[in-house]
Amino acid sequence: MASAKEEGQIAPLSYGDKPQLDDKGGDHLAHDKTVDSIIHRARTATEKEQKMTLMQGIKLYPKAIAWSMLISTCIVMEGYDVALINNFYAFQQFNRKYGEPAGDGKYEVPAPWQAGLSNGANVGELIGLLINGFVSERFGYRYTVIACLFLIIAWTALFFTAQNVTTLLVAEILAGIPWGVFQTLTITYASEVCPVAMRGYLTTYVNFCWGMGQEIAIGVIMAMLKRDDEWAYRIPYGLQWMWPVPLIIGIAFAPESPWWLVRRGRIEDAKKSLLRLTSLNRETDFDADETVAMMVHTTAIEEKTTKGASYLDCFRGHDLRRTEIVCMVWAIQNLSGNSFSNYSTYFLTQAGLDSTSAYGFALGQYGMNMVGVFGAWFLMSWGIGRRSLYLFGLCALCTMLFIMGFLGLVPADHRRESSIATGSIMLGWALSYQLTVGTVCYSLVSELSTRRLQIKTVVLGRMLYIVVGIVCSVFTPYMLNPTAWNWQNYTGFFWAGICFLCIIYTYFRVPEPTGRTFAELDLLFEQGVSARKFATTEVNVFEENIDGGVLENYQKQREYSHLESV
């Protein structure tokens, strides 16, 4: 039997290969399979996607919603552990095992070890983020997540069996590596499996999962308060095993990101993945070939406007602007006063609340993290853009920080009332934060980075977020501690000033991505459009001169697929 090449056909493509033009098979290409026809299909898919309403998107992409929510659930584990370790320092059972005598029969984990344990996961996350920039683009999102879940199973055993604080620190660092991977892959996968109308909702769901993990952790800790044995802290650690196995089983059947498959040159696999993410919906007149053509066209534009796909390329040309914005959008989450707001229980206990009631308030604050996500969805459904939510949210946060600062002027005789007011405003601050900055950030970072460099750009942004978070977590205790700087409420003035600078930056630098396709965003950045004019500037991505090589690659694979089916 003659080979495909001997018959004048195009040879099958192996993993990641880019097909080359075959002179013998060139005569078999029909007139409707030219580069122009590919662009026509991409244009049609783009117009359909931009006209698609949220409800139409939900009807067409219900499977994408389910798969994205499943993979985003990985973030629950990180939120759970972060809340766990920071609240274990108040556990005498935990302190007796891993701390040192502190007088009066009590034990305390020394301050250096507390700082090490609290930031150990951050160190691991930095390593995981860097590794993810290479691994996920090579092996795909699905396999990378599954491998990390197996690591979580192994590292949880270290937490559960740790006999000393050193082992706990090692466990925190090692567990931070897969958590760092989850932080970026969950957002990227969510943004790549859904249409424009749903991007803001699925990407921000990641923040809901973070809040869910924290809420579960506080609930578990409150349930363990009455225990006086080692299981008071071993049970919470052991519960981390309940997540990986069901997630591994579910994600093993999840479709790969069609955008990633297109970037790897696997066009037919991208179409199969897209069909697994969608359901038949005649209302939108969905055509998988048209949507894949749109992905190919966008990839072709990015290959023209982006020189390469390395970390260094994130700092070249107009991609430098995109990297800067993504990094700052992440960093502003901490610079807007987030570390200060986490001390609501500190002010409430100063006002005389017992530890159980203080934990109850913390439970409510973490609950606001989840409620805030739904509130942000509601605001977005009203047509409020991501830039507007982010900007006006910062204005509200800045105002409340100033109010908390002025509460420091209350006379000492009314310090209790001042502390209650401060703690309560912090809870209101937390809700406002989650309605805007805390939630919308996840959508902005996933949309403002180019597809080709998205993983690496989000990685760099998240790394800056972690570094800024470490700095804030080191300085904030000094600001509040009576034995250190003792700023108390005046700390609010400091963070209000920083938050005001964040408002100025956001106004001039953060653009509005709502309703824009990835290709349109690419051209807006390439043309250097001002952030304030992103929403109103008209662009036609199909008038751009692009390299036909990527499009011909797509055309060849479609031709081969057609000949295979004949």
Side-chain angles (χ1 to χ4, degrees), residues 241-545:
W241 272 316
M242 70 181 176
W243 298 104
V245 174
L247 285 173
I248 288 171
I249 295 172
I251 295 172
F253 295 98
E256 186 55 85
S257 163
W259 284 91
W260 180 82
L261 292 168
V262 167
R263 290 196 297 272
R264 301 297 295 181
R266 298 166 57 183
I267 305 301
E268 276 303 308
D269 288 339
K271 179 181 176 181
K272 292 176 183 176
S273 177
L274 189 60
L275 290 172
R276 289 191 59 201
L277 290 166
T278 54
S279 296
L280 181 62
N281 181 13
R282 302 186 186 282
E283 184 180 351
T284 57
D285 192 24
F286 174 76
D287 187 311
D289 287 317
E290 291 176 349
T291 303
V292 171
M294 178 184 68
M295 295 177 182
V296 171
H297 179 261
T298 301
T299 303
I301 290 177
E302 292 183 348
E303 287 201 0
K304 172 200 170 188
T305 59
T306 304
K307 293 181 180 180
S310 67
Y311 276 112
L312 188 59
D313 291 303
C314 294
F315 301 96
R316 290 174 173 162
H318 65 271
D319 286 312
L320 172 60
R321 180 188 175 194
R322 303 178 84 156
T323 303
E324 170 226 313
I325 295 171
V326 168
C327 287
M328 285 304 299
V329 166
W330 270 127
I332 286 173
Q333 278 199 320
N334 281 319
L335 294 174
S336 58
N338 192 27
S339 61
F340 182 46
S341 76
N342 290 333
Y343 280 82
S344 59
T345 53
Y346 172 81
F347 283 96
L348 291 170
T349 47
Q350 274 195 335
L353 268 71
D354 58 79
S355 59
T356 303
S357 299
Y359 276 126
F361 269 94
L363 193 67
Q365 184 169 343
Y366 290 137
M368 289 179 185
N369 292 357
M370 296 186 288
V371 174
V373 174
F374 293 122
W377 287 357
F378 179 71
L379 294 174
M380 286 190 288
S381 69
W382 273 11
I384 302 176
R386 261 77 98 180
R387 167 187 159 91
S388 299
L389 278 175
Y390 200 84
L391 180 60
F392 292 124
L394 284 173
C395 293
L397 300 181
C398 185
T399 302
M400 283 186 276
L401 287 169
F402 270 118
I403 293 173
M404 285 187 273
F406 281 115
L407 284 171
L409 300 174
V410 173
D413 294 342
H414 299 282
R415 182 63 63 193
R416 182 178 184 277
E417 290 81 357
S418 172
S419 295
I420 292 176
T422 301
S424 301
I425 292 174
M426 281 182 170
L427 294 177
W429 190 99
L431 179 59
S432 299
Y433 174 83
Q434 293 302 334
L435 281 169
T436 56
V437 176
T439 297
V440 176
C441 168
Y442 290 89
S443 180
L444 286 172
V445 299
S446 67
E447 294 178 293
L448 295 179
S449 51
T450 175
R451 295 304 87 198
R452 201 172 183 205
L453 292 170
Q454 185 185 35
I455 287 286
K456 293 179 174 63
T457 306
V458 175
V459 161
L460 292 170
R462 190 67 185 184
M463 288 178 69
L464 181 61
Y465 166 87
I466 291 173
V467 171
V468 173
I470 291 174
V471 173
C472 292
S473 66
V474 169
F475 280 102
T476 301
Y478 281 94
M479 296 175 186
L480 296 174
N481 198 311
T483 61
W485 302 345
N486 196 27
W487 290 3
Q488 298 183 0
N489 276 74
Y490 297 128
T491 305
F493 287 133
F494 174 83
W495 289 114
I498 299 295
C499 189
F500 182 73
L501 295 178
C502 293
I503 292 171
I504 295 174
Y505 176 86
T506 300
Y507 180 77
F508 287 103
R509 298 296 290 171
V510 179
E512 178 57 76
T514 303
R516 295 290 192 181
T517 64
F518 291 130
E520 287 176 331
L521 290 170
D522 290 335
L523 290 186
L524 287 167
F525 276 108
E526 184 188 17
Q527 294 170 7
V529 176
S530 166
R532 287 162 289 165
K533 297 180 180 178
F534 253 60
T536 56
T537 301
E538 294 184 6
V539 290
N540 188 343
V541 298
F542 303 103
E543 291 180 352
E544 293 292 310
N545 294 321

Side-chain angles (χ1 to χ4, degrees), residues 122-324:
N122 289 330
V123 174
E125 286 169 7
L126 290 173
I127 299 171
L129 286 165
L130 280 173
I131 293 173
N132 184 41
F134 300 103
V135 174
S136 59
E137 277 298 322
R138 175 65 181 87
F139 299 104
Y141 302 171
R142 194 164 55 97
Y143 289 132
T144 303
V145 170
I146 290 174
C148 288
L149 287 169
F150 276 110
L151 290 177
I152 289 293
I153 294 174
W155 306 149
T156 299
L158 282 178
F159 284 117
F160 191 73
T161 61
Q163 295 301 310
N164 52 60
V165 71
T166 305
T167 307
L168 273 184
L169 177 59
V170 172
E172 287 287 346
I173 295 173
L174 291 176
I177 295 175
W179 290 336
V181 174
F182 296 150
Q183 286 176 357
T184 51
L185 269 191
T186 51
I187 302 170
T188 306
Y189 185 85
S191 69
E192 293 189 355
V193 298
C194 64
V196 172
M198 294 170 57
R199 273 200 322 242
Y201 300 90
L202 285 184
T203 51
T204 53
Y205 175 74
V206 173
N207 193 43
F208 175 87
C209 293
W210 175 272
M212 184 192 301
Q214 293 176 316
E215 186 82 349
I216 293 172
I218 295 297
V220 170
I221 286 174
M222 290 184 71
M224 296 292 114
L225 284 175
K226 295 181 180 179
R227 296 193 70 101
D228 195 35
D229 55 13
E230 65 178 13
W231 294 104
Y233 55 86
R234 292 205 188 278
I235 289 176
Y237 276 137
L239 287 175
Q240 292 181 100
W241 272 316
M242 70 181 176
W243 298 104
V245 174
L247 285 173
I248 288 171
I249 295 172
I251 295 172
F253 295 98
E256 186 55 85
S257 163
W259 284 91
W260 180 82
L261 292 168
V262 167
R263 290 196 297 272
R264 301 297 295 181
R266 298 166 57 183
I267 305 301
E268 276 303 308
D269 288 339
K271 179 181 176 181
K272 292 176 183 176
S273 177
L274 189 60
L275 290 172
R276 289 191 59 201
L277 290 166
T278 54
S279 296
L280 181 62
N281 181 13
R282 302 186 186 282
E283 184 180 351
T284 57
D285 192 24
F286 174 76
D287 187 311
D289 287 317
E290 291 176 349
T291 303
V292 171
M294 178 184 68
M295 295 177 182
V296 171
H297 179 261
T298 301
T299 303
I301 290 177
E302 292 183 348
E303 287 201 0
K304 172 200 170 188
T305 59
T306 304
K307 293 181 180 180
S310 67
Y311 276 112
L312 188 59
D313 291 303
C314 294
F315 301 96
R316 290 174 173 162
H318 65 271
D319 286 312
L320 172 60
R321 180 188 175 194
R322 303 178 84 156
T323 303
E324 170 226 313

